[in-house]
Amino acid sequence: MLHVDDPTRRPRDPMIFNFTVFLCTLIAMEGVGFLAHKYVMHGWGWCLHRSHHEAHLGAFETNDIYLLVLGLVAVGLIVLGNSGHDPLQWVGAGVAAFGVIYVLFHDGVMHRHWPVRPRPRNRYLKRLYHAHLMHHAIKGRRNSVSFGFLYAPSMHTLKKQLRAMRDAEQQNAGQDRHAAAILSDLQNG
């Protein structure tokens, strides 16, 4: 839009602005996804996410409720944006794009839920794939690594994190046994 009273201002291209909002939202969703995966799905929302870490039959699992919620948020933002609350429709489009990429890449490449089961060939996709395998190698919701979707730390870093968690857990188990022995001694006189 060109401002007549200010000749030094250039017109802003709404297409570039909208694409920037879309792209920034898509990138920011990696952070949102990381936090939601680590603190919600592996936290108080484990009751739904557990199905994703266990063998299941059929096309759907209770973990898919998270994707449904993401889709509803995206549609809500698009509707609000189209109702005059710019640029929410582009934020919603970025959220929706993240969901589509998740379904295609995560379910297709990582878990091979599609008829065609591609194997990652380039270094970036291999890194994501192996980090995801390490994430699923840990049974249960605690002591897992690599909660991101489009970013994964190096294998060296992930192995170091796993070793540190295992060592801390063994140290805690040793302290628990020691405390139980002391309690037993106190009870037995």
Side-chain angles (χ1 to χ4, degrees):
M1 100 182 37
L2 185 60
H3 294 275
V4 177
D5 49 336
D6 186 1
T8 61
R9 287 190 61 166
R10 293 186 308 182
R12 183 178 80 182
D13 187 349
M15 184 186 295
I16 292 173
F17 175 75
N18 294 338
F19 181 73
T20 302
V21 169
F22 167 81
L23 195 59
C24 287
T25 302
L26 181 59
I27 292 167
M29 284 303 297
E30 173 66 8
V32 171
F34 174 91
L35 293 172
H37 190 190
K38 185 170 185 174
Y39 297 109
V40 175
M41 295 178 190
H42 280 256
W44 57 266
W46 178 251
C47 58
L48 298 175
H49 187 61
R50 177 186 296 130
S51 67
H52 183 67
H53 285 266
E54 297 172 346
H56 66 281
L57 300 173
F60 298 103
E61 52 192 44
T62 56
N63 183 66
D64 294 337
I65 292 172
Y66 290 117
L67 192 58
L68 179 64
V69 169
L70 185 70
L72 291 173
V73 167
V75 168
L77 288 167
I78 291 168
V79 167
L80 282 172
N82 286 331
S83 299
H85 300 282
D86 287 337
L88 290 181
Q89 70 269 31
W90 298 105
V91 173
V95 172
F98 185 83
V100 168
I101 292 169
Y102 175 87
V103 168
L104 294 176
F105 183 73
H106 180 262
D107 289 350
V109 175
M110 297 299 181
H111 290 285
R112 298 192 173 111
H113 289 284
W114 303 113
V116 175
R117 297 177 177 190
R119 286 212 175 263
R121 286 189 167 58
N122 73 41
R123 284 178 40 191
Y124 168 72
L125 293 178
K126 284 181 181 179
R127 181 175 173 158
L128 287 178
Y129 180 74
H130 290 294
H132 196 74
L133 290 177
M134 288 181 78
H135 175 78
H136 280 271
I138 305 301
K139 301 301 176 206
R141 72 183 198 177
R142 296 192 192 334
N143 297 331
S144 197
V145 293
S146 188
F147 294 94
F149 168 58
L150 300 173
Y151 170 77
S154 69
M155 288 298 107
H156 174 73
T157 300
L158 293 175
K159 288 177 182 177
K160 193 171 157 183
Q161 289 173 353
L162 285 172
R163 270 193 302 275
M165 284 187 271
R166 185 188 64 228
D167 293 347
E169 200 167 88
Q170 287 174 347
Q171 184 177 3
N172 288 340
Q175 289 172 350
D176 290 345
R177 283 192 300 274
H178 182 69
I182 291 172
L183 184 60
S184 176
D185 287 346
L186 289 173
Q187 289 174 342
N188 294 331

